Amino acid sequence: STLIKVGENEIVLKRSGSTESRMVIEVGKRNSCYYSSEGCALILDIYGKHIDNRLSLEGGALSLEYDLNMNHAPISQNRIEITVKEV
């Protein structure tokens, strides 16, 4: 499962289960995270590129972009788009 905590200037993605991690994403900042999966554990660097928080009590949207590096080498560029609405 993934828990997303939206702060004023940061997003925290916390995963639990067979894959565990806690990623802090802040625009213009580099943060390290411990990423653990079945049989392997890594230290990754996360560089926040963009956060657009349009969430409210009625729903809305959250968009974020970040790069992941391992040993100072880029491994992926990521974009997450979340829409929240009543069903």
Side-chain angles (χ1 to χ4, degrees):
S1 65
T2 302
L3 172 70
I4 301 170
K5 183 178 178 183
V6 181
E8 188 171 321
N9 298 311
E10 70 180 20
I11 305 290
V12 178
L13 298 172
K14 185 174 180 184
R15 293 187 146 173
S16 58
S18 61
T19 300
E20 297 199 8
S21 68
R22 182 179 182 276
M23 300 168 59
V24 178
I25 300 165
E26 298 175 275
V27 173
K29 292 188 179 179
R30 188 171 309 280
N31 292 299
S32 294
C33 105
Y34 180 77
Y35 182 92
S36 172
S37 187
E38 294 178 21
C40 109
L42 307 168
I43 301 291
L44 301 175
D45 288 331
I46 301 128
Y47 179 76
K49 294 169 62 177
H50 173 77
I51 295 174
D52 182 17
N53 178 6
R54 292 176 276 128
L55 294 173
S56 70
L57 294 176
E58 291 78 35
L62 176 66
S63 170
L64 57 123
E65 295 179 35
Y66 60 94
D67 292 341
L68 285 178
N69 295 332
M70 183 173 60
N71 296 328
H72 306 291
I75 58 173
S76 68
Q77 296 177 338
N78 304 276
R79 181 179 183 151
I80 297 175
E81 301 275 341
I82 298 171
T83 302
V84 178
K85 62 182 178 179
E86 187 175 344
V87 290

